[in-house]
Amino acid sequence: MSKPRSLSMAAYRVLSWGVSGSANQPQIPRPEGELIWVHINAQNRQRAMVDFCLRLQQAHPTLNVLLTAPPGEDLQRWEQVDYPLINLPQEQSGAARAFLDYWHPEIGLWVGGGLMPNVITRAEERGIPLILIEAEININVARGAKWLPDITRVTFDCFKSILATTSLTVRTIRRLGVTSGKVAEAPPLQVSANPRPWPEDELIETNHALAGRPVWLAAYVLDKEFISVLSAHRQALRMLPRLTLVLHVADMAEAEPLHRRLEAMDLRCTSWDDVGRIEDTTQVVLTSTPEDLGLWHRVSPVTFIGSSLERGAGCHDPLAAVALGSALIHGPYVHQHQQIFDQLDQAGAARTVRSATELGDAVVELLSPDRAADMALAGWEIVSEGAPQADQLIDMVQDCLDQRSAD
């Protein structure tokens, strides 16, 4: 049941009336079945929300997902994902109604600030349950209507539940006159690794072939990093003569030329992609298949995340390696995933190196069983800390969907 609207809200709709141009109209069909609409106000929250949607669909497989970004946001700069991603229309009453007529979601999840009164109040009037997380006192009001009182309170009060990341924000929202019981404090959602399972028999067979030898993995290694990684391996071999390197190249086209270089360097190498076999004398296992990293992260207690020693590469996501129990080593150039690497470094789950010599020293040190285990535990605490918040939010969404279905 919708709430009575204030005179301010009625005036606001008149002042913000209009239908957006064709550029704002959806170009993709609305999928059949239930749909959750997830609005992400800031690009840096996209990855965490996509991760949440994947987990939500595991609990509710038939649920479709629509992602929206603020009006005017350049979506070319956002990560391309499997879910539809569109801009919300401008803050106009007619445009908000057209958006809801087309998508008619069963539930809405708003992340962050930039609240848009027209689409939010119209969704609530249609009985669409709305949840606000990582709430901010930030309203995107149409031009010429900022002088109207009460718009902020009415907009916040449309949400069934509001979660804010600070107690100050919670108190501020309650002071607006929003029902106290619907506002609570909760930390922001974190990205969680969810690696796919690996066949147990293949894992046992690979460990048997390695025969207890120490192993380290260098993943996503660029051609300009090959010399550093191989020099580090030679250095580590002096301390650990039976050491095996699993070398995963970032570019498949580089695998065969690298194999020839390894033979010229007198390093005994096997191509896992071609042979799938490890000999007693193998010193380097060469692979270029990204899907096989699930096996090697499980086998190797230490992983070097490549594409990070040279400026400009940007590095790769480390969470799968952490979730599968690897201690991490990485170079200084990790800007694409800077936040999570900073967390891992501070927690003692990862180590930064800047040269081949530092990499070789780190491999030897971290292959000490106690050291690797301590780092793996610290990493696991990082990747699992967001699970309770995600589970709580999944339960809230499920409850809303169940109630809407019953109604």
Side-chain angles (χ1 to χ4, degrees):
M1 181 71 67
S2 64
K3 301 179 180 65
R5 290 286 164 247
S6 67
L7 291 176
S8 291
M9 193 66 229
Y12 178 77
R13 286 183 174 174
V14 172
L15 289 170
S16 61
W17 184 258
V19 177
S20 59
S22 59
N24 282 327
Q25 297 304 312
Q27 301 297 315
I28 51 179
R30 197 267 193 206
E32 295 292 329
E34 291 183 309
L35 175 76
I36 180 171
W37 157 44
V38 181
H39 180 76
I40 308 170
N41 189 58
Q43 182 184 353
N44 63 359
R45 302 306 296 142
Q46 180 192 8
R47 187 159 174 261
M49 294 316 302
V50 169
D51 176 75
F52 167 78
C53 291
L54 290 169
R55 294 187 59 173
L56 175 62
Q57 286 184 309
Q58 290 177 349
H60 199 119
T62 61
L63 186 65
N64 298 292
V65 175
L66 169 68
L67 304 179
T68 61
E73 187 77 14
D74 182 5
L75 298 184
Q76 295 299 318
R77 302 179 62 182
W78 288 52
E79 184 180 348
Q80 301 305 302
V81 296
D82 292 336
Y83 301 125
L85 172 63
I86 64 173
N87 296 104
L88 274 185
Q90 296 294 329
E91 174 57 3
Q92 297 171 328
S93 184
R97 188 172 64 179
F99 169 81
L100 294 170
D101 284 344
Y102 186 87
W103 292 103
H104 51 91
E106 272 66 36
I107 185 171
L109 179 62
W110 194 286
V111 187
L115 303 184
M116 299 174 65
N118 275 314
V119 71
I120 290 170
T121 57
R122 286 196 179 277
E124 191 272 341
E125 286 173 357
R126 295 177 183 217
I128 299 170
L130 300 173
I131 299 172
L132 173 61
I133 67 170
E134 302 174 21
E136 301 173 12
I137 312 300
N138 179 267
I139 305 290
N140 181 9
V141 180
R143 184 179 302 174
K146 294 183 178 180
W147 56 272
L148 289 170
D150 211 30
I151 299 299
T152 300
R153 181 197 63 78
V154 169
T155 303
F156 272 102
D157 212 26
C158 287
F159 291 96
K160 185 181 182 70
S161 298
I162 299 173
L163 301 177
T165 58
T166 69
S167 56
L168 175 60
T169 305
V170 170
R171 291 194 300 270
T172 303
I173 294 172
R174 287 173 175 167
R175 282 199 295 267
L176 291 172
V178 176
T179 306
S180 177
K182 69 167 64 174
V183 189
E185 184 178 355
L189 286 180
Q190 302 291 334
V191 177
S192 62
N194 190 22
R196 66 183 181 90
W198 199 266
E200 190 68 22
D201 56 346
E202 186 174 350
L203 181 59
I204 292 171
E205 183 180 344
T206 304
N207 280 319
H208 179 73
L210 288 165
R213 282 175 278 177
V215 182
W216 70 292
L217 165 66
Y220 302 109
V221 179
L222 300 172
D223 56 349
K224 54 189 174 182
E225 295 176 317
F226 290 159
I227 291 299
S228 294
V229 170
L230 294 174
S231 297
H233 186 53
R234 280 190 178 280
Q235 175 185 330
L237 278 168
R238 298 190 194 107
M239 299 295 294
L240 301 168
R242 300 180 69 242
L243 179 64
T244 301
L245 164 64
V246 179
L247 178 52
H248 169 262
V249 298
D251 182 356
M252 288 186 178
E254 295 290 340
E256 183 58 33
L258 178 58
H259 197 167
R260 292 194 293 269
R261 288 171 65 182
L262 287 166
E263 290 174 343
M265 295 173 66
D266 198 27
L267 281 169
R268 293 182 293 277
C269 173
T270 185
S271 175
W272 182 260
D273 299 344
D274 296 334
V275 179
R277 186 173 65 251
I278 301 171
E279 305 291 348
D280 290 341
T281 58
T282 298
Q283 294 174 305
V284 180
V285 179
L286 188 62
T287 178
S288 61
T289 307
E291 291 77 12
D292 284 349
L293 287 175
L295 169 66
W296 301 119
H297 286 315
R298 288 171 167 88
V299 168
S300 308
V302 174
T303 295
F304 166 67
I305 302 291
S307 305
S308 64
L309 271 178
E310 300 292 335
R311 189 185 301 275
C315 199
H316 286 262
D317 186 347
L319 287 179
V322 176
L324 292 172
S326 264
L328 286 193
I329 307 171
H330 62 88
Y333 303 110
V334 294
H335 58 274
Q336 288 187 359
H337 303 281
Q338 191 71 55
Q339 183 179 9
I340 185 61
F341 274 104
D342 287 346
Q343 282 184 274
L344 293 168
D345 288 343
Q346 292 166 11
R351 158 113 33 114
T352 305
V353 297
R354 291 173 172 78
S355 67
T357 300
E358 290 185 12
L359 177 56
D361 290 342
V363 168
V364 172
E365 179 186 343
L366 301 189
L367 279 172
S368 166
D370 291 344
R371 188 77 176 91
D374 289 343
M375 292 183 70
L377 178 59
W380 175 248
E381 290 173 351
I382 292 290
V383 299
S384 61
E385 68 178 357
Q389 295 92 276
D391 291 343
Q392 177 192 16
L393 187 56
I394 288 171
D395 289 343
M396 292 170 65
V397 170
Q398 289 273 46
D399 289 345
C400 288
L401 290 171
D402 291 346
Q403 183 61 52
R404 185 169 171 83
S405 177
D407 292 342

